[in-house]
Amino acid sequence: MRDADELLDPSHTPSRRDVSALLELLESGDEKTAKRATAALARVQSPIAPALLASHVGASATARARRLLALGARIAGEDAAVVRAALHDALGDEEPQVRKAAVRVLGALEERPALRARARLESAPSVMRALGRALGKLGDAEAVLELQARLGEELGPGERRAARIAARPERVGAVHLDKKIDCLVTFHCRAGLVSVRGEELGEVGGGAERR
């Protein structure tokens, strides 16, 4: 059996046989060890969602939260429907720590409807802040402001940044094909292709100057 250092080594690709040992490290280790175990579980080549969820019920809140974060790191290699269903169920967990982990992952997956629905029900401040960050990054200004009002306290740096993002009239990186911008664009080509390219550009852009 491999030791912990070998299992957690970033250059090592764990197999399914290593999953049990990694889950033990994930649940019993400190935060640094848990993060390394999460990264190691993400490198397992075979689907392991059943193993991650098998002992979910009855585990401690910390263990359940860490398993959800590990599950989120693996969604590309798992049955997406199974992962999303587990995360949605976790939004109703009795422990705020578990709900917060589910919010983090669902925010990364841009599951806005589920997050909005949870935001209307949530009462734990730590989870409300996590919801504010997640929904703010998704541009949901209305939900962020509602959470802020219900919290009744000044937002922290993460929530303020999310609120600024949500308040922007347009999402960063958005492409608007219906907006016209006047600018000069210069194309270069071989001399023999000038007339051909000029006709092509004229058809697309309504006219081209040939030089």
Side-chain angles (χ1 to χ4, degrees):
M1 182 177 176
R2 298 182 176 89
D3 61 22
D5 287 337
E6 184 179 359
L7 285 172
L8 300 176
D9 188 334
S11 64
H12 172 64
T13 301
S15 67
R16 289 177 66 93
R17 291 174 296 180
D18 299 321
V19 171
S20 294
L22 286 170
L23 287 176
E24 185 176 343
L25 290 169
L26 178 75
E27 296 177 4
S28 62
D30 57 18
E31 286 297 323
K32 182 178 179 180
T33 300
K35 288 180 180 179
R36 293 179 67 193
T38 296
L41 286 166
R43 295 194 297 273
V44 178
Q45 299 298 307
S46 305
I48 60 171
L52 281 168
L53 297 172
S55 58
H56 198 71
V57 178
S60 69
T62 297
R64 297 202 304 278
R66 288 178 175 179
R67 281 173 178 252
L68 287 175
L69 294 174
L71 192 62
R74 287 197 48 83
I75 192 167
E78 303 288 345
D79 184 331
V82 172
V83 174
R84 292 176 190 275
L87 292 167
H88 287 194
D89 287 345
L91 286 177
D93 194 280
E94 62 183 10
E95 294 292 338
Q97 184 179 1
V98 179
R99 299 198 300 275
K100 182 178 177 180
V103 166
R104 283 180 56 185
V105 180
L106 288 170
L109 297 176
E110 299 190 352
E111 289 274 339
R112 180 171 168 176
L115 294 173
R116 286 212 80 181
R118 185 64 226 174
R120 289 192 290 268
L121 302 172
E122 189 56 60
S123 59
S126 62
V127 186
M128 293 172 73
R129 295 187 195 100
L131 283 162
R133 286 192 293 271
L135 287 165
K137 291 176 182 177
L138 295 177
D140 196 329
E142 181 181 357
V144 171
L145 293 175
E146 288 177 0
L147 285 164
Q148 180 182 353
R150 286 169 49 206
L151 272 168
E153 62 183 47
E154 185 175 350
L155 296 176
E159 292 81 29
R160 286 200 299 270
R161 179 176 180 276
R164 287 196 300 271
I165 294 173
R168 292 173 183 168
E170 298 174 352
R171 293 285 300 278
V172 175
V175 177
H176 301 279
L177 299 178
D178 59 336
K179 289 188 176 181
K180 182 179 179 180
I181 301 176
D182 292 324
C183 63
L184 175 65
V185 179
T186 303
F187 293 88
H188 298 274
C189 66
R190 294 196 303 271
L193 295 176
V194 170
S195 59
V196 176
R197 292 293 177 260
E199 291 176 0
E200 292 176 349
L201 290 171
E203 292 175 1
V204 175
E209 182 181 350
R210 304 175 190 179
R211 294 180 181 178

